[in-house]
Amino acid sequence: MLPNDRRKFILEQLSMNEKMDIEQLVDSLNVSAMTIRRDLNHLEAQEKLIRTHGGAVLNKPLVIETSFQVKEGKYSYQKRQIAQKALNHIQSHSTILLDSGTTTLEIAKLLKEKKDLTVVTNDIKIAAELMDSEVKVIVAGGELQNNIGALFGPLTEQVLRNLHVDLLFLGAHAVHLEEGITAPTFEKASIKKLMIKSAETTWLVADSSKFGQKSLTKVCHLSSIDGVITDDGITDVCEEILKEHLHVVTVEGSEAK
């Protein structure tokens, strides 16, 4: 195996296991411990991992909340493609719950011409997007998160506890193969948990940049949802592990020139 292939394998293993020992990598790659140490040193110099006694861990901080303006400009093509694919799962006369976020906002944009749908959301930008459509919109009101547009708190939770919807499109700040879906605050995690509980079917809509990441508060394990729509930027290893828990749909991750 070429050095670049070995190093890619090492990073993939770390993304799944958090920590790897040199002995484990020696057994997996069938190379010497000295070769593994050189690979780890190389990856540490690139700030992709942190060397530990006898092994390494990924050099990844917890994901924190970012403003709507920052999120809106990132991975916009992938988000539009994910939203387009999400439409395939929407039937007429459905009640749909749209979590707050820029990917779910792209779904809302595609629903504007639809009829016979009810959309519930805790996102004021999604509600505004559908304001002039024929879609029935229910806003799970609560405290507004400035610079984000999400509604949260006891009032939002009260609405969600009294709901049962056909379909939830769930956003995510971070998705990890072992830790599952996580959120940057307890309030956000609580809202997402209630959304999942209120939905007959839950699809996670998240671009590939969200995978291999962790945030502060646990939302759920991947086995708690039904499927994920993402782009083909996720690794083959990640996709195979996801398929052990749920249905996986991938879209083209790079815009055609």
Side-chain angles (χ1 to χ4, degrees):
M1 186 181 289
L2 296 173
N4 284 342
D5 293 330
R6 281 199 315 272
R7 291 160 189 168
K8 181 180 178 181
F9 176 85
I10 290 170
L11 291 175
E12 287 177 345
Q13 292 301 303
L14 284 172
S15 70
M16 292 183 288
N17 300 298
E18 293 301 309
K19 182 181 185 299
M20 291 293 291
D21 295 330
I22 290 174
E23 290 80 3
Q24 292 174 297
L25 293 169
V26 167
D27 291 340
S28 298
L29 291 167
N30 195 28
V31 294
S32 69
M34 183 61 69
T35 297
I36 295 298
R37 289 190 183 94
R38 284 198 296 265
D39 287 338
L40 296 180
N41 289 337
H42 177 85
L43 291 169
E44 185 176 44
Q46 293 184 326
E47 298 184 348
K48 292 183 177 179
L49 56 75
I50 299 171
R51 290 293 309 274
T52 62
H53 180 69
V57 296
L58 275 185
N59 184 20
K60 282 192 173 182
L62 293 177
V63 175
I64 60 173
E65 187 88 75
T66 54
S67 71
F68 176 86
Q69 287 76 13
V70 171
K71 291 188 290 186
E72 185 180 31
K74 290 185 175 181
Y75 303 95
S76 56
Y77 175 77
Q78 290 89 335
K79 292 172 183 177
R80 290 194 300 270
Q81 294 296 98
I82 290 169
Q84 189 68 52
K85 188 65 70 173
L87 289 189
N88 295 339
H89 301 279
I90 298 174
Q91 298 179 357
S92 297
H93 306 287
S94 295
T95 302
I96 302 161
L97 180 52
L98 292 180
D99 189 11
S100 176
T102 49
T103 304
T104 46
L105 177 60
E106 292 298 329
I107 296 175
K109 291 176 182 178
L110 297 177
L111 296 179
K112 291 170 70 172
E113 304 304 320
K114 299 285 186 180
K115 299 178 181 179
D116 303 319
L117 290 178
T118 298
V119 170
V120 184
T121 186
N122 68 323
D123 190 304
I124 61 169
K125 290 183 178 293
I126 289 175
E129 188 68 35
L130 295 171
M131 181 174 63
D132 296 320
S133 72
E134 295 188 43
V135 175
K136 181 179 180 180
V137 181
I138 300 172
V139 180
E143 183 179 346
L144 175 65
Q145 187 177 12
N146 294 345
N147 299 315
I148 301 294
L151 298 166
F152 68 99
L155 292 177
T156 307
E157 293 181 9
Q158 182 178 352
V159 172
L160 294 173
R161 285 193 185 95
N162 289 282
L163 280 180
H164 182 79
V165 300
D166 298 307
L167 182 60
L168 162 64
F169 289 113
L170 180 72
H173 298 82
V175 184
H176 190 273
L177 295 175
E178 295 295 330
E179 298 298 326
I181 301 169
T182 52
T185 66
F186 286 98
E187 292 85 356
K188 281 290 181 73
S190 178
I191 293 293
K192 291 178 186 293
K193 288 176 183 178
L194 288 170
M195 286 181 169
I196 294 169
K197 188 175 182 180
S198 72
E200 191 71 26
T201 302
T202 297
W203 280 88
L204 173 68
V205 287
D207 65 78
S208 58
S209 71
K210 305 293 179 63
F211 287 82
Q213 307 280 357
K214 290 190 295 183
S215 199
L216 179 66
T217 311
K218 182 74 170 280
V219 175
C220 68
H221 190 268
L222 291 170
S223 60
S224 299
I225 64 175
D226 299 284
V228 56
I229 307 175
T230 186
D231 62 80
D232 58 11
I234 61 172
T235 66
D236 292 339
V237 172
C238 179
E239 184 172 355
E240 288 303 312
I241 293 175
L242 286 172
K243 286 179 178 178
E244 295 176 6
H245 300 288
L246 40 77
H247 186 57
V248 180
V249 176
T250 57
V251 300
E252 178 64 41
S254 57
E255 191 166 4
K257 301 296 183 182

